[in-house]
Amino acid sequence: MEATCTSYKETGYFSPTVIDYLEDAPALRPFYSYRPTLQGFAELLQHKNVTANRRLLADVLGSQYTHITDESLATVQQNIELLRADNTYTVTTGHQLNIFTGPLYFIYKIVTAIKLCNQLKEAFPDKSFVPVYWMASEDHDFAEINYTHIGGKKVHWWYEASGATGRINPDTMRQAINQYKGVLGIGGHAEELAAMVETAYTKFDKLADATRYLVHALFGHHGLVIIDADDKQLKQHFAPVMLQDITGQHSYKNITATNEQLTQAGVHIQVNPREINFFYLKDSLRERIVAESGRYQVLNTAISFSEAELQEELQSHPERFSPNVVMRPLYQESILPNIAYVGGGAEVVYWMELKSNFDYYQVDFPILILRNSALLVPKTAAAKIAGMRLSNADLFKATDEIKNDWVKKHSAHELNLSAEWQELESVFEKIKRHAQQIDQTLVPSTAAVQARLQHAVNNLERKLVKAEKLNYQTRLQQIEQLKGELFPKNSLQERTENFGLAYVKWGRTFINELIRTFEPLNFEFTVLTE
């Protein structure tokens, strides 16, 4: 595949805050640690304080791979063993357990982490870097993960579930599996991917284990380590912070104060903290903990604790306490020797809300890396793009804007009235001066007439373009079809389409090509043309 790039800003799909972060806007500097550059990593590595228990981490990870037996396991085991060494660090990305991996950006997140580790190893050869996928196995929003879109079809897992999604048994997925495999077809690498999916969702009794199998099958050769932090031993390491935060509500105070500062800086807040940012977790149960009448109540249950009972429960059963979205990152950074987090635009912004809380608990804040984004352009679409002489930047424009620009560019007639309007403006400047000499109060009236005329000229220009479009119906229909194919539902392809059909076409080469072409520290949108 041929890779070309365009700036994130030019696409129009990324928030002003993300663009400001990439461009090093001074107003955002208090809300993160080091810049996402090799120099930033060098500075972080000089001062990195690891709070993780490396031996415990490696032991737990090793135990989580007991059901994996393929040839790439040795590569992953080597990376797990590296985590015991003081000169090894992780680059982490996280995501929910979307069935069949969900949208393409799930794949892009992991590829970004892998490629960044490769580049850091080249820059700092005396250190080792391990890519980590953090499974959001404790998340309970089943409706966000029980479907995927592939080839214009929605594959849905029809099931009513509650509690942590990682603990759900996927044994009711047969209809979804068959539907997904049906879309894959029988050509190319369909059989290979179908076998992965079949094994993942039929040979394991927890969605977390199924997801690990599938993601490992895709990325194990590249040494990706997959962690399920829904674990008693790992939670035990974090238990002192959980107790301190539940009883002291420090995260609420810290993040609320930061959000006020971010709001003043013009940042749209992504998440708001609660007074207590933990859930109580058991099978089929994940409910918020709230402070009521001097006790700690688990909502929608009869379970409650005094402070002494809470402390005892945390010591005996730390696995029953689950951090929410604002405390999960602190948990992650507490148990991993992590130096970078790879996330989407919204994640990068919400992590900025958290730095003061990291500072309070004296846990190092990772470097925030905007994951690579990509647009896959098949041969047929590439031919249309070349035939219409569209640029990468053109592809990201609204459909009507592309049409208008194309008609203006290719019409034999002059459809732009800007030159004529400049002449009219010169006339109105003379009229204004003449009116001012007669009566100063006539100037606003003259300006109002000018504004009305400009509006009329603009309308006339639109009518000229609309009339000329009738002469180019075939080309304009091709533009509509092209946009529908590359930007399903008028959104970025990566936010909707599943990776499955790309894998059917290219197999493992698809992932290898993503790793080859992605440049995590360049911060540009990649267009990959077949």
Side-chain angles (χ1 to χ4, degrees):
M1 288 185 281
E2 179 185 349
T4 55
C5 296
T6 190
S7 73
Y8 284 112
K9 188 174 185 177
E10 196 171 26
T11 69
Y13 279 93
F14 294 82
S15 72
T17 303
V18 170
I19 302 303
D20 286 346
Y21 174 68
L22 298 181
E23 295 179 349
D24 194 15
L28 295 180
R29 290 175 189 167
F31 305 105
Y32 58 87
S33 55
Y34 298 92
R35 289 295 298 157
T37 62
L38 288 179
Q39 179 60 35
F41 279 105
E43 294 170 2
L44 173 56
L45 289 168
Q46 285 182 339
H47 303 99
K48 177 63 180 175
N49 175 40
V50 174
T51 59
N53 182 329
R54 290 179 176 274
R55 179 193 58 78
L56 172 65
L57 175 64
D59 288 347
V60 170
L61 286 170
S63 69
Q64 293 185 352
Y65 274 83
T66 55
H67 299 300
I68 304 292
T69 58
D70 67 3
E71 71 279 3
S72 62
L73 178 61
T75 305
V76 175
Q77 288 176 325
Q78 182 180 1
N79 273 352
I80 291 174
E81 287 304 306
L82 282 174
L83 292 172
R84 299 181 188 274
D86 289 341
N87 66 338
T88 299
Y89 303 94
T90 59
V91 172
T92 303
T93 191
H95 201 70
Q96 297 163 292
L97 308 183
N98 297 67
I99 61 171
F100 311 114
T101 75
L104 272 162
Y105 70 76
F106 176 97
I107 301 295
Y108 298 163
K109 276 183 165 184
I110 294 174
V111 170
T112 304
I114 292 171
K115 182 63 174 284
L116 181 56
C117 283
N118 296 344
Q119 293 179 328
L120 291 175
K121 183 62 178 177
E122 291 180 11
F124 308 101
D126 60 325
K127 297 175 175 59
S128 297
F129 303 91
V130 175
V132 172
Y133 162 47
W134 177 290
M135 293 192 292
S137 57
E138 296 177 47
D139 186 274
H140 63 268
D141 200 338
F142 183 67
E144 291 186 358
I145 69 163
N146 67 352
Y147 67 92
T148 195
H149 293 277
I150 178 169
K153 293 180 170 56
K154 182 178 182 179
V155 177
H156 200 287
W157 177 11
W158 296 105
Y159 181 65
E160 294 292 330
S162 60
T165 54
R167 301 183 183 187
I168 298 172
N169 193 322
D171 60 358
T172 58
M173 278 188 64
R174 173 46 60 192
Q175 181 181 355
I177 294 169
N178 290 346
Q179 187 180 359
Y180 186 81
K181 289 163 64 175
V183 178
L184 296 181
I186 58 174
H189 299 271
E191 185 176 348
E192 176 190 347
L193 181 54
M196 291 184 205
V197 166
E198 181 72 25
T199 300
Y201 295 113
T202 64
K203 302 301 183 183
F204 299 93
D205 59 9
K206 290 172 57 180
L207 186 59
D209 293 334
T211 303
R212 178 187 288 106
Y213 177 88
L214 179 57
V215 176
H216 172 80
L218 296 171
F219 294 104
H221 292 87
H222 300 283
L224 178 72
V225 173
I226 303 166
I227 185 170
D228 182 359
D230 183 6
D231 180 89
K232 182 174 182 176
Q233 294 181 80
L234 297 178
K235 292 278 183 72
Q236 190 73 61
H237 182 72
F238 192 57
V241 173
M242 291 196 282
L243 178 62
Q244 188 178 350
D245 204 74
I246 291 172
T247 57
Q249 301 183 4
H250 304 296
S251 59
Y252 173 73
K253 299 167 188 173
N254 296 330
I255 298 169
T256 297
T258 298
N259 284 357
E260 291 176 358
Q261 297 169 15
L262 284 167
T263 299
Q264 292 173 3
V267 175
H268 176 69
I269 299 303
Q270 298 295 312
V271 295
N272 286 294
R274 298 186 182 276
E275 287 82 357
I276 295 177
N277 292 295
F278 290 87
F279 294 90
Y280 191 71
L281 179 65
K282 285 187 175 182
D283 288 340
S284 301
L285 171 70
R286 189 177 188 243
E287 292 286 353
R288 283 175 48 213
I289 301 170
V290 296
E292 290 183 353
S293 304
R295 293 184 66 83
Y296 296 94
Q297 174 72 41
V298 179
L299 287 182
N300 302 313
T301 74
I303 303 169
S304 69
F305 307 96
S306 66
E307 186 166 330
E309 291 167 341
L310 177 72
Q311 184 171 354
E312 173 61 28
E313 183 76 354
L314 265 166
Q315 289 176 345
S316 302
H317 299 287
E319 73 279 7
R320 294 179 180 175
F321 293 83
S322 176
N324 73 357
V325 66
V326 302
M327 285 300 287
R328 184 205 59 77
L330 188 68
Y331 177 37
Q332 171 187 299
E333 299 301 310
S334 297
I335 65 173
L336 293 176
N338 199 50
I339 57 170
Y341 183 76
V342 176
E347 287 180 284
V348 168
V349 176
Y350 107 71
W351 271 75
M352 290 186 197
E353 301 176 25
L354 310 179
K355 184 176 182 298
S356 63
N357 203 44
F358 276 73
D359 293 343
Y360 179 86
Y361 285 107
Q362 298 181 319
V363 176
D364 283 355
F365 195 76
I367 292 178
L368 302 179
I369 302 293
L370 179 66
R371 66 166 173 80
N372 282 98
S373 286
L375 174 65
L376 305 178
V377 182
K379 285 181 182 178
T380 53
K384 293 176 185 177
I385 292 169
M388 289 185 282
R389 298 179 183 177
L390 298 176
S391 67
N392 284 350
D394 289 332
L395 299 177
F396 293 92
K397 296 176 182 176
T399 303
D400 283 343
E401 186 178 357
I402 299 174
K403 289 180 178 180
N404 290 343
D405 290 347
W406 194 91
V407 170
K408 289 178 182 178
K409 184 176 181 179
H410 293 86
S411 174
H413 306 286
E414 179 55 61
L415 304 176
N416 190 315
L417 300 180
S418 58
E420 288 79 0
W421 176 247
Q422 287 180 354
E423 294 178 9
L424 288 172
E425 280 189 310
S426 298
V427 171
F428 264 94
E429 287 303 315
K430 294 178 182 179
I431 294 174
K432 284 180 184 178
R433 288 194 295 270
H434 185 62
Q436 188 174 19
Q437 291 172 355
I438 298 173
D439 185 346
Q440 182 71 29
T441 63
L442 293 176
V443 174
S445 298
T446 307
V449 173
Q450 181 180 359
R452 289 196 296 272
L453 181 58
Q454 183 176 13
H455 182 70
V457 171
N458 289 340
N459 278 338
L460 179 58
E461 183 177 297
R462 284 192 288 269
K463 289 179 179 178
L464 291 174
V465 174
K466 184 177 180 180
E468 186 70 339
K469 282 181 178 179
L470 296 175
N471 299 321
Y472 295 97
Q473 280 301 303
T474 300
R475 280 299 196 190
L476 297 184
Q477 287 174 0
Q478 287 180 341
I479 289 174
E480 279 195 15
Q481 293 168 356
L482 185 66
K483 281 290 289 186
E485 178 183 358
L486 299 181
F487 294 81
K489 299 182 178 180
N490 292 317
S491 182
L492 290 177
Q493 177 191 71
E494 63 181 29
R495 296 178 185 174
T496 302
E497 183 68 15
N498 180 263
F499 84 106
L501 292 180
Y503 195 93
V504 167
K505 181 180 289 188
W506 293 298
R508 293 191 183 277
T509 301
F510 173 58
I511 290 173
N512 293 337
E513 280 294 283
L514 292 178
I515 293 173
R516 181 183 70 84
T517 56
F518 278 7
E519 295 293 338
L521 300 181
N522 285 4
F523 299 113
E524 291 183 309
F525 197 109
T526 306
V527 178
L528 292 169
T529 304
E530 184 181 5

